[in-house]
Amino acid sequence: MQFTAEQRLDDGILEREFTLGEIPGTLWTSGSAPAPLILIGHNGGLHKREPRLVARARHSAAYGYAVAAIDHPGHGDRPRSAVDEQARADLHRAMAAGEPVDEIFESFIVPLVEKAAPEWQTTLDALLSLPEIGGPVGYSGMTAIGIRLAVVEPRIAAAGFFAGGYVPRAQREEARQVTIPLLFLPQWDDEGNPRQRALDLFDTFGSKEKTLHANLGGHAGTPWFEVDDGDRFFGRHLK
């Protein structure tokens, strides 16, 4: 891991950019060491510097966590392949025409999960070698990648899933193997993720401790107070 830039923000949070091979990322810390770690993810197409994600990261860092984000393959600062671009074009065309989109989502979310989960594990190896990070580890972000991480990575102790993104059929089956504590956040009127599909997925998780917070509103309308609730959720399991 190589740190490429750093700045002390006006709230006292130290923000550092890093690279790990081809993986670009950002680490936020508040100075309390060794701190529990939250891996903070985003949904399709977004950048690790997306303002709402950065605000979540800074809020959690101020709460006493180390927080890390990376750009997934084909996202943010990373190049998009011709296959990625075609899949996104097909998706936009189908949505505009009111056509079914599940198979298009499957065509690019499945490969994303297969690539991104090992990259998170590689990043986790590097982060846990830093003296300012002591674990345990939580994950907060895209449900499809989070399910895979919860199944294959034993160092993930708790997870918060934003339920707005498409979850491939393979991850809906893997959800039965997820046993860590969960906070699940669907939007009741999400135009991209039918309400019943989100509720069915929540039922599928094998966790004995799982909490669902559903709020009125569309895909991007998750209320900010859920960030506070998320930090308290992680406080119960990471501190």
Side-chain angles (χ1 to χ4, degrees):
M1 175 177 284
Q2 179 180 1
F3 288 102
T4 57
E6 71 173 58
Q7 60 175 328
R8 182 71 66 176
L9 305 176
D10 55 12
D11 54 5
I13 302 301
L14 180 62
E15 179 184 86
R16 286 175 286 176
E17 302 292 327
F18 65 83
T19 58
L20 185 61
E22 298 179 352
I23 307 168
T26 307
L27 175 64
W28 295 265
T29 52
S30 62
S32 53
L37 173 64
I38 297 176
L39 308 178
I40 187 169
H42 49 70
N43 283 341
L46 296 181
H47 195 290
K48 69 182 187 305
R49 301 294 306 168
E50 193 272 329
R52 191 170 174 87
L53 182 142
V54 172
R56 284 169 48 208
R58 291 176 63 172
H59 190 280
S60 295
Y63 205 89
Y65 303 108
V67 184
I70 62 173
D71 279 334
H72 299 146
H75 291 62
D77 291 330
R78 302 181 69 173
R80 291 185 179 181
S81 69
V83 173
D84 291 334
E85 295 290 5
Q86 185 60 54
R88 285 177 170 84
D90 291 344
L91 177 62
H92 292 151
R93 177 197 55 75
M95 291 180 70
E99 298 173 357
V101 295
D102 281 10
E103 293 309 316
I104 301 174
F105 273 123
E106 290 279 335
S107 72
F108 70 88
I109 299 295
V110 170
L112 174 62
V113 171
E114 296 297 333
K115 296 173 185 175
E119 289 193 347
W120 266 125
Q121 290 182 290
T122 298
T123 304
L124 183 55
D125 291 339
L127 290 170
L128 290 178
S129 71
L130 300 175
E132 60 266 40
I133 299 176
V137 182
Y139 170 87
S140 174
M142 182 178 179
T143 301
I145 293 173
I147 289 172
R148 173 58 58 84
L149 274 176
V151 170
V152 303
E153 179 48 72
R155 292 172 291 185
I156 303 292
F161 292 158
F162 288 84
Y166 179 81
V167 177
R169 289 183 286 270
Q171 274 64 64
R172 288 179 233 164
E173 287 299 315
E174 283 184 324
R176 303 177 190 281
Q177 304 174 50
V178 175
T179 58
I180 59 175
L182 290 180
L183 176 62
F184 194 59
L185 300 173
Q187 285 296 101
W188 205 239
D189 308 298
D190 194 325
E191 58 276 17
N193 190 27
R195 181 185 306 168
Q196 192 59 52
R197 181 180 288 177
L199 297 177
D200 289 345
L201 180 59
F202 181 74
D203 282 340
T204 302
F205 290 122
S207 303
K208 292 182 178 179
E209 181 179 337
K210 53 183 179 180
T211 301
L212 184 148
H213 288 182
N215 291 282
L216 297 177
H219 181 74
T222 303
W224 181 253
F225 63 72
E226 292 292 1
V227 177
D228 286 315
D229 286 346
D231 286 333
R232 286 192 290 270
F233 164 79
F234 285 117
R236 294 194 296 273
H237 302 289
L238 305 186
K239 292 185 177 183

